[in-house]
């Protein structure tokens, strides 16, 4: 059975109980179902009205609800759609859902199925779908703004423009091949496109050279607290998180696993990671904690290397000195006095902090906010937000470059390279050959969206 012919329904407003619960229906039976649930005049499309919802079996009142009717294709999904804004009690919602399940051709929606129908009905492309998912998951203002721009089509429009340029170029090549005998087709029409295509290739390369700002903004910057045991890492993490995330004791080696907390610093997302203390003499469990600490540090954007006056200095592992992470030295427990000697590696910053007396905390927070803004601050141009975008764009550049460099080769072969390049852009927006991707993209959506 074609699932597009089924009418789906789900609660779209989140956890119950709540003040209001929104139950959404979409599909060909939405209108007929609504007619059986209400009495009197049918609602005008896109105008709200207050109605009683009736059980068509026993004639009892289910609820008093605000009704919204969206006639397709002028709806989110592109289909006839109904929204029932009911009272958000569990019993009320259960009664309405039970009634909806009794109608022939109606079934509960699967995860992301409303949005999936919007995609299939050309209401959204895949980049807009992904932007919607990011908007729902956004935890900071910067994430919200990036997701909103992508959902509004900034990224999809850019890729569509580039794809249109490639398609137009192929059309000019085919015109030269098919109509070379015609007087109104210049002999060198295909040659003229390569300068424009070289500019397009350079634009895509510049788009790729974004230091992965979009991905960093989606997932948050990774900041790892690293250093010897008892250097104050866990106390500092609790202070920054403003809650007890990590256990703090005078005993060295208390933290043996990786602890994470998500912070909003100046509107930018930061994942702060506390790790096991680095030292040579460690037991089996502690050694595993140190291994995990180093794995996270090697993937970090910023390492905060801690050093305290009452703790023997440890050398930063050489592998981290070769990583791409920026390294700052934090002189913790500064209220205990001078730090004394510490390791000699170069760092980008050195900050003295005291959790007990709150010394240096404002400087640390300000520095972290500046680091986040410097590395993932929003820019005007659309940003790549997913690895699949980057992969298709990289392949597009390869195909485009091969076509540009193939002077002297048959024009048909160069045109084929342009077709492949255009297809790579089409796969990003989901307009060609993406059925195998859809389950992956929609599986993380909530039911009702």
């Amino acid at each position: 059975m074609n699932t597009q012919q089924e009418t789906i329904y789900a609660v779209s407003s989140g956890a119950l109980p709540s003040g209001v619960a929104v139950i959404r229906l979409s599909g060909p039976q939405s209108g007929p179902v609504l007619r059986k649930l209400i009495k009197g005049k049918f609602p005008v499309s896109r105008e709200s009205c207050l109605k009683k919802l009736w059980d068509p079996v026993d004639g009892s009142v289910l609820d008093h609800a605000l009704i919204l009717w969206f006639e397709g294709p002028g709806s989110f999904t592109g289909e006839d759609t109904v929204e029932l804004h009911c009272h958000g009690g569990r019993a009320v919602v259960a009664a309405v859902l039970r009634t909806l399940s009794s109608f022939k051709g109606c079934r509960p929606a699967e995860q992301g199925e409303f949005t999936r129908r919007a995609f299939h009905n050309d209401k959204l492309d895949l980049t807009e779908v992904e932007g919607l998912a990011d908007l729902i998951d956004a935890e900071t203002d910067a994430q919200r703004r990036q997701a909103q721009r992508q959902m509004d089509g900034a990224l999809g429009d850019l890729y569509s423009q580039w794809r249109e340029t490639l398609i137009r170029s192929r059309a000019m090549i085919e015109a030269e091949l098919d109509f070379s005998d015609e007087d109104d087709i210049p002999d060198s029409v295909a040659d003229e496109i390569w300068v424009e295509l070289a500019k397009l290739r350079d634009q895509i390369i510049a788009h790729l050279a974004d230091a992965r700002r979009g991905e960093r903004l989606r997932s948050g910057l990774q900041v790892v607290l690293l250093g010897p045991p008892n250097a104050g890492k866990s106390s500092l993490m609790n202070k920054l998180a403003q809650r007890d995330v990590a256990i703090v004791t005078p005993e060295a080696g208390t933290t043996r696993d990786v602890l994470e907390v998500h912070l909003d610093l100046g509107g930018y997302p930061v994942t702060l990671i506390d790790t096991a203390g680095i030292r040579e003499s460690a037991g089996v469990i502690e050694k595993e904690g140190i291994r995990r600490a180093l794995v996270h540090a090697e993937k970090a954007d910023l390492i905060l290397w801690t050093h305290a006056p009452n703790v023997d200095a440890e050398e930063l592992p050489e592998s981290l000195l070769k990583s791409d992470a920026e390294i700052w030295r934090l002189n913790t427990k500064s209220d205990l006095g001078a730090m004394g000697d510490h390791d000699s590696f170069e760092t980008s910053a050195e900050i003295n902090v005291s959790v007990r007396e709150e010394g240096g905390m404002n400087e640390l927070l300000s520095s972290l906010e500046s680091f986040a803004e410097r590395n993932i601050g929003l820019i005007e141009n659309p940003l790549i937000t997913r690895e699949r975008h980057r992969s298709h764009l990289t392949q597009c550049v390869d195909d485009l470059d091969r076509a540009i460099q193939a002077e002297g080769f048959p024009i048909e072969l160069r045109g084929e390279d342009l077709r492949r390049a255009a297809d790579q852009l089409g796969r990003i927006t989901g307009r060609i050959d993406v059925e195998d991707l859809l389950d992956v993209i929609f599986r993380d959506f909530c039911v009702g969206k």
Side-chain angles (χ1 to χ4, degrees), residues 250-319:
E251 180 182 342
T254 302
T255 302
R256 298 189 176 188
D257 207 343
V258 173
L259 301 175
E260 296 186 4
V261 64
H262 300 284
L263 304 177
D264 180 344
L265 297 180
Y268 297 106
V270 172
T271 300
L272 184 65
I273 303 172
D274 186 20
T275 61
I278 307 296
R279 62 175 173 177
E280 291 295 330
S281 56
V284 175
I285 296 176
E286 198 173 344
K287 283 182 178 178
E288 174 60 19
I290 293 171
R291 186 194 68 80
R292 296 184 184 187
L294 296 178
V295 168
H296 278 78
E298 288 171 359
K299 299 176 182 178
D301 299 295
L302 174 64
I303 296 172
L304 302 179
W305 180 254
T306 57
H307 175 61
N310 62 337
V311 176
D312 292 336
E314 292 282 345
E315 289 293 330
L316 184 74
E318 188 175 347
S319 62

Side-chain angles (χ1 to χ4, degrees), residues 96-150:
V96 175
L97 294 179
R98 184 171 59 250
T99 300
L100 292 177
S101 69
S102 68
F103 291 104
K104 185 177 181 181
C106 290
R107 63 168 176 82
E110 298 176 358
Q111 286 181 253
E113 192 167 5
F114 290 99
T115 307
R116 190 164 184 162
R117 290 192 175 195
F119 167 73
H120 282 300
N121 292 324
D122 292 329
K123 305 297 283 189
L124 299 171
D125 68 29
L126 277 190
T127 63
E128 292 166 340
V129 166
E130 291 165 333
L132 175 58
D134 291 345
L135 188 63
I136 293 171
D137 292 337
E139 296 180 347
T140 72
D141 191 59
Q143 288 176 319
R144 176 193 62 79
R145 284 183 284 138
Q146 172 172 270
Q148 187 70 61
R149 290 177 63 198
Q150 183 167 329

Side-chain angles (χ1 to χ4, degrees), residues 36-39 52-64 99 102-103:
K36 293 179 181 179
L37 288 176
I38 63 175
K39 296 179 180 179
K52 289 181 180 179
L53 298 181
W54 300 85
D55 187 327
V57 176
D58 61 18
S60 64
V61 176
L62 298 170
D63 193 22
H64 294 234
T99 300
S102 68
F103 291 104

Side-chain angles (χ1 to χ4, degrees), residues 305 307 327-331 342-345 347 349-351:
W305 180 254
H307 175 61
I327 302 172
W328 297 357
R329 180 181 285 107
L330 291 189
N331 297 322
H342 54 57
D343 31 52
S344 58
F345 62 86
T347 59
E350 183 167 352
I351 303 173

Side-chain angles (χ1 to χ4, degrees), residues 8-16 18 20-25 84 86-90 92-94 96-97 100 108-110 114 446-449:
I8 57 175
Y9 61 87
V11 178
S12 297
S13 53
L16 302 174
S18 60
V20 175
V22 179
I23 299 173
R24 175 185 286 171
L25 298 86
L84 308 174
C86 305
H87 292 93
R90 290 190 177 92
V92 173
V93 172
V96 175
L97 294 179
L100 292 177
E110 298 176 358
F114 290 99
C446 57
V447 173
K449 195 57 183 172

